[in-house]
Amino acid sequence: MGLNTSAEAPLPVGQVSRLIGGWIERLGQVWVEGQITQLSRRPGAGVVFLTLRDPAHDISVSVTCFRQVFDDVADLVSEGARVVVLAKPEWYAPRGQLSLRATEMRPVGIGELLARLERLKRSLASEGLFALDRKRPLPFLPQLVGLVVGRASAAERDVLENARRRWPAVRFEVRNVAVQGVHAVPQVVRAVQELDALPEVDVIIVARGGGSVEDLLPFSDERVVRAVAEARTPVVSAIGHEPDSPLLDLVADLRASTPTDAAKKVVPDVGEELERVRQLRDRGLRAVRGLLDREERGLAHALARPVFVHPQRMVETREAELAALLGRSGRTLGHLLDRADSELSHTLARVVALSPAATMARGYAVLQRADRHVVRDRAEVAAGDVLRARVAEGEFSVRVEEPGPEAGGPAGNGAPEGGGDTAGGGG
């Protein structure tokens, strides 16, 4: 319930303090977890004083407990240890201070911490933050490397010295942060976000030396993991040593076993690259020489072929083949002409032998009437008819007389026209 107060009717400090104490007295016991940062055990005192701090926030509270309560866990806890206490809030009115009166204290063991990390790991993995397809490749030669590391730490020295020894021209943008304690998480998150916002930063390295599981807890914090997952710049995790495995290793694009290993994986070695260039140049030179040698041998083999050694031989061969073909064609044509000439001579001889002119040359004559029709039958002429007689060497006229009974040819003898002797033969 609110109090009715005003500038004219204010409450005394004591009354306000007593009222606050009354409200706090009504609170019951609560289980509280925190990290012991200050521990005071005065010899002979019956009360132990300590301070519990929230590892993720800059908040702390005083705790008091009887010596017997603390002695039950004195061998297990010390400054920096995480504990869980059952306590009741108390208000010390004279000084206006809030504290917790602990009645039971339990150390938070490594097993419990690892179990919490495993639950967080499964939760983040179900969101896909650790998926391999989210991993981005690192640039071959980063021009500017962002480094998130503790101030003046061995990790910072290892990264810078090894990187510059490998590639002297490499440049760094360093963000010094707390790497353990209450301020570690917000500072690491802010540093990663600042470096990711710089377009000239090609890769970010988050580095820390080795330590206990409790010391490395900030790098398994959910806020750090999500900040790295949201970064657009590739992030390399170099936390602790080989056995250490904070959740940052799983979300980062590349995990390095140590800060020195991170420098080797991010920055190429100039000597190694020069040697690789030399090897590639030698390989290329050998490949070109091999190609030239192979082509030279092929060219020499081609030039050694007869067609290149005696290029006219092909023409000469074709010329000989052409001459042979011409000779064959000439002989074939001559044979054909000779045979045709022989056949023609035989045919001519047969034609001459069968020709009427040859018959007439043997003394026969052909008789024709005035209409030039050949007389073939004696019945076709009558006595006194004038016929034309064709002989081998010309023709002349004849007159038909009555044939005598002894005549047996198709034409009888008659006196030639104009009073000459008559003679003729039937044919």
Side-chain angles (χ1 to χ4, degrees):
M1 179 179 294
L3 298 176
N4 294 322
T5 61
S6 64
E8 290 75 18
L11 291 178
V13 173
Q15 185 177 351
V16 172
S17 180
R18 286 192 298 273
L19 289 173
I20 294 175
W23 293 331
I24 293 176
E25 284 292 332
R26 289 195 292 269
L27 296 176
Q29 289 185 324
V30 293
W31 284 100
V32 182
E33 179 185 351
Q35 183 180 22
I36 299 176
T37 57
Q38 294 180 4
L39 178 62
S40 176
R41 299 174 62 189
R42 297 186 180 92
V47 178
V48 176
F49 298 90
L50 55 94
T51 301
L52 282 184
R53 183 180 62 185
D54 190 329
H57 302 280
D58 189 13
I59 300 175
S60 61
V61 64
S62 298
V63 179
T64 61
C65 65
F66 292 110
R67 176 176 291 275
Q68 183 179 357
V69 173
F70 185 82
D71 287 345
D72 292 338
V73 296
D75 296 335
L76 302 176
V77 300
S78 60
E79 287 193 9
R82 287 196 177 194
V83 294
V84 176
V85 299
L86 177 62
K88 185 179 186 305
E90 290 184 346
W91 181 258
Y92 186 60
R95 295 185 180 177
Q97 293 179 343
L98 175 68
S99 64
L100 299 176
R101 170 71 68 170
T103 58
E104 185 177 349
M105 183 177 299
R106 300 177 185 177
V108 178
I110 298 300
E112 177 63 21
L113 293 177
L114 294 179
R116 294 180 186 178
L117 290 180
E118 186 62 27
R119 289 193 294 269
L120 178 59
K121 176 182 175 181
R122 288 196 297 269
S123 175
L124 296 177
S126 65
E127 299 181 26
L129 297 186
F130 304 152
L132 294 179
D133 55 3
R134 298 185 72 256
K135 308 297 183 183
R136 290 156 295 189
L138 302 185
F140 167 70
L141 181 59
Q143 300 300 312
L144 183 62
V145 179
L147 179 59
V148 180
V149 69
R151 183 181 302 277
S153 62
E156 179 180 8
R157 184 176 62 255
D158 290 343
V159 172
L160 296 179
E161 290 182 358
N162 283 280
R164 286 165 180 163
R165 187 181 300 118
R166 293 171 62 84
W167 198 278
V170 67
R171 296 182 296 115
F172 279 90
E173 184 72 22
V174 181
R175 292 291 186 274
N176 293 120
V177 298
V179 292
Q180 68 182 57
V182 66
H183 302 291
V185 172
Q187 289 185 14
V188 170
V189 170
R190 184 168 59 253
V192 170
Q193 293 174 346
E194 289 178 359
L195 293 175
D196 184 53
L198 298 177
E200 60 271 18
V201 174
D202 298 320
V203 63
I204 300 173
I205 300 176
V206 181
R208 185 200 191 281
S212 64
V213 175
E214 293 88 345
D215 293 337
L216 300 182
L217 284 178
F219 299 97
S220 293
D221 189 275
E222 182 176 358
R223 289 171 294 171
V224 173
V225 173
R226 293 190 180 279
V228 172
E230 294 171 359
R232 295 170 297 178
T233 308
V235 178
V236 177
S237 173
I239 305 301
H241 298 290
E242 187 65 37
D244 302 326
S245 182
L247 297 184
L248 179 62
D249 289 347
L250 302 178
V251 73
D253 298 288
L254 179 67
R255 176 188 182 272
S257 58
T258 62
T260 300
D261 184 51
K264 293 180 179 180
K265 290 183 176 180
V266 171
V267 180
D269 186 87
V270 62
E272 294 177 359
E273 296 305 320
L274 289 176
E275 177 63 20
R276 185 176 292 112
V277 170
R278 186 191 64 80
Q279 292 177 358
L280 292 175
R281 182 181 58 193
D282 292 343
R283 285 179 55 189
L285 184 59
R286 288 195 298 271
V288 172
R289 285 178 177 173
L291 177 62
L292 292 177
D293 291 342
R294 185 168 60 252
E295 295 300 325
E296 185 177 6
R297 289 193 299 270
L299 181 59
H301 179 71
L303 291 176
R305 297 179 62 184
V307 68
F308 287 104
V309 176
H310 302 288
Q312 70 279 6
R313 181 172 298 175
M314 183 173 63
V315 178
E316 294 172 351
T317 302
R318 294 296 181 266
E319 182 181 12
E321 292 177 358
L322 181 60
L325 290 175
L326 288 175
R328 286 180 57 189
S329 61
R331 289 191 298 274
T332 301
L333 181 58
H335 294 329
L336 292 176
L337 292 176
D338 292 343
R339 185 164 55 188
D341 182 65
S342 177
E343 292 177 355
L344 182 59
S345 298
H346 289 96
T347 302
L348 181 60
R350 288 195 300 271
V351 170
V352 171
L354 298 176
S355 173
T359 303
M360 289 188 292
R362 292 197 299 271
Y364 288 86
V366 178
L367 297 178
Q368 295 176 323
R369 294 200 303 262
D371 57 4
R372 309 298 287 184
H373 286 169
V374 176
V375 178
R376 291 182 174 86
D377 191 352
R378 64 184 296 176
E380 295 179 358
V381 297
D385 288 345
V386 178
L387 303 175
R388 297 291 297 177
R390 293 184 59 187
V391 295
E393 298 298 334
E395 61 182 41
F396 54 86
S397 299
V398 296
R399 186 171 49 249
V400 179
E401 294 182 355
E402 185 65 28
E406 68 282 0
N413 295 329
E417 189 178 11
D421 294 335
T422 62

